[in-house]
Amino acid sequence: MTRMTTCIWSNYTAEEQAKFYTSLIPDARIVRVEKTPVDTPSQKAGEVIIAEIELAGHRYLLLNGGPMFRHSEAVSFVIHTRDQAETDRLWAAITADGGEESMCGWCKDRWGVSWQVTPDRLLELIYDNPDKDAARRAMTAMMTMRKIDIAAIEAAAQG
C-alpha cells in the first residue's frame, strides 16, 4: 500500500513544534524523533533532524531544515471543532506566544504555520444549509470575524 506523509519545514524547532502540535489534539502523539547520523547542509551529526507526529490519524514529518524556506497561508492545517469551547481553546493555544490572528477563522502559530479553526456548525450553516439566504447571511457574518463565534453565525443565519 502506498503511504504519504506531509513534510513541514522547520527552522530548527521540529521537536518543540511536535510537542506543541500533539498537545492540541486528543490522542495525538509523537511517533519518533530522529537525529542525523551524518552532517547535512542544515544539521551536524547527532542533532535532531526530524520529528514525526500523528494528529487525528494523519502523520506529519517536521524537518529541521533551517531558515531558508518560510511558511505561507497557501498550506494550512484545518481543525474541525465540535463547539465554541473547543474553538476558543484551540484558537487561544495557537495564537499564544507570538502566534497571529487573521480573518475568517485563520491564524498562525508562533512558527508561522497557518491553521483554520473551523467549527462544524459553521460548515453546516454555510454549505449544508438548504436555505441559501440563511447560508449567505452566515457567510457574510463569518467574513467579519477573526475567531469564529458560533452563536453570532447562528443568529445571522436566522436573520
Side-chain angles (χ1 to χ4, degrees):
M1 180 168 126
T2 302
R3 197 173 75 135
M4 291 181 61
T5 304
T6 301
C7 180
I8 301 166
W9 193 272
S10 296
N11 187 6
Y12 306 118
T13 57
E15 194 168 13
E16 182 183 357
Q17 285 176 262
K19 290 174 184 173
F20 176 71
Y21 295 162
T22 56
S23 76
L24 296 174
I25 310 295
D27 300 323
R29 66 188 181 105
I30 296 174
V31 176
R32 64 189 173 131
V33 175
E34 297 291 342
K35 297 178 179 180
T36 180
V38 299
D39 287 353
T40 71
S42 64
Q43 299 291 122
K44 298 283 187 215
E47 294 178 339
V48 171
I49 191 159
I50 63 152
E52 187 173 5
I53 61 175
E54 187 173 283
L55 305 174
H58 297 278
R59 290 226 177 155
Y60 300 91
L61 188 71
L62 300 162
L63 172 67
N64 273 335
M68 61 280 287
F69 298 118
R70 303 193 56 86
H71 299 285
S72 83
E73 292 82 358
V75 176
S76 62
F77 286 111
V78 180
I79 302 178
H80 298 273
T81 57
R82 292 179 304 269
D83 54 32
Q84 192 67 51
E86 185 178 35
T87 300
D88 294 347
R89 178 185 68 81
L90 289 165
W91 186 269
I94 293 166
T95 59
D97 300 322
E100 299 175 25
E101 293 186 359
S102 189
M103 295 302 294
C104 306
W106 288 68
C107 57
K108 288 184 183 178
D109 64 30
R110 62 182 161 259
W111 300 282
V113 175
S114 290
W115 296 76
Q116 296 177 59
V117 182
T118 307
D120 290 333
R121 185 67 177 135
L122 172 69
L123 300 177
E124 292 167 4
L125 289 168
I126 293 174
Y127 300 117
D128 300 334
N129 195 338
D131 181 343
K132 297 307 173 197
D133 288 332
R136 270 193 287 282
R137 289 190 300 271
M139 181 88 162
T140 300
M142 185 266 308
M143 297 293 289
T144 68
M145 298 177 180
R146 289 185 176 273
K147 178 180 68 177
I148 302 302
D149 179 335
I150 297 170
I153 297 285
E154 289 175 331
Q158 291 172 4

